[in-house]
């Protein structure tokens, strides 16, 4: 179990050091901003939606290792997926970090399973996802975790 925890830690640190899909997406047709004032995490999520399909996704921002790694892993998990799949994954991810339920096949996103023991960190881990939902729904108001 501790080996698994080390592996999870390693994945999070790696994605924090080298975030994937980082930077603005010139062809984006949806975007939203989010911030987590408790930690100081700020993020913008960019989406290139083609019909019901996420053709491109990227993010930009500054925050703690958890928020950056979560956004990075989220973009990897969602590229090429349908909007419905994205909402499904959001729900599964949220259940995992708030209730510890791992019923869904979340793949690499399971590295955040330990976050539920740290309520402050749950907001760091879910910020990117809440911002994604706002981008999908094309909300004008910035998202805040408060
Ligand atoms: Zn944070």
């Amino acid at each position: 179990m501790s080996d698994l925890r080390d592996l999870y830690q390693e994945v999070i640190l790696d994605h924090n050091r080298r975030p994937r899909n980082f930077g603005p997406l010139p062809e984006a047709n949806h975007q939203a901003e989010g911030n987590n004032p408790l930690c100081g995490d700020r993020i913008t999520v960019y989406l290139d939606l083609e019909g019901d399909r996420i053709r491109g996704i990227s993010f930009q921002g500054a925050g703690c290792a958890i928020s950056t790694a979560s956004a990075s892993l989220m973009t990897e998990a969602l590229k090429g997926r349908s909007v419905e799949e994205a909402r499904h994954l959001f729900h599964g991810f949220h259940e995992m970090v708030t209730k510890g339920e791992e019923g869904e096949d979340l793949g690499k996103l399971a590295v955040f399973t330990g976050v539920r023991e740290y309520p402050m960190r749950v907001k760091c881990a879910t910020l990117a996802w809440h911002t994604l939902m706002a981008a999908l729904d094309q909300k004008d108001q910035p998202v805040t975790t408060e």
Side-chain angles (χ1 to χ4, degrees), residues 8-22 59 64-77 108 111-112:
Y8 283 179
Q9 195 90 18
E10 194 49 49
V11 172
I12 290 170
L13 290 175
D14 176 52
H15 276 263
N16 178 51
R17 273 193 305 262
R18 296 185 298 121
R20 321 302 200 263
N21 306 303
F22 188 84
F59 77 103
C64 65
I66 297 284
S67 69
T68 302
S70 179
S72 174
L73 281 153
M74 179 186 81
T75 60
E76 272 198 333
K108 264 197 199 172
V111 298
F112 293 101

Side-chain angles (χ1 to χ4, degrees), residues 36 39 41 64 67 121 124:
N36 174 16
C39 182
D41 309 317
C64 65
S67 69
R121 290 307 192 186
C124 300

Side-chain angles (χ1 to χ4, degrees), residues 23 30-31 34-35 58 84 111-112 116 129 146:
H30 286 239
Q31 71 182 68
N35 72 88
S58 74
E84 196 186 328
V111 298
F112 293 101
R116 71 177 181 278
W129 289 88
E146 291 307 299

Side-chain angles (χ1 to χ4, degrees), residues 65-145:
I66 297 284
S67 69
T68 302
S70 179
S72 174
L73 281 153
M74 179 186 81
T75 60
E76 272 198 333
L78 294 183
K79 202 178 259 186
R81 301 268 199 150
S82 70
V83 170
E84 196 186 328
E85 286 172 323
R87 291 187 195 280
H88 188 73
L89 270 180
F90 166 74
H91 182 73
F93 185 80
H94 200 261
E95 294 287 294
M96 179 185 71
V97 296
T98 56
K99 300 178 189 160
E101 287 169 15
E102 295 174 59
E104 303 293 331
D105 179 19
L106 293 168
K108 264 197 199 172
L109 298 173
V111 298
F112 293 101
T113 186
V115 162
R116 71 177 181 278
E117 291 165 39
Y118 310 94
M120 292 263 300
R121 290 307 192 186
V122 169
K123 293 182 175 183
C124 300
T126 55
L127 176 64
W129 289 88
H130 285 296
T131 308
L132 166 79
M133 289 300 129
L136 286 174
D137 296 335
Q138 199 68 289
K139 292 216 178 90
D140 291 332
Q141 294 296 316
V143 174
T144 172
T145 53

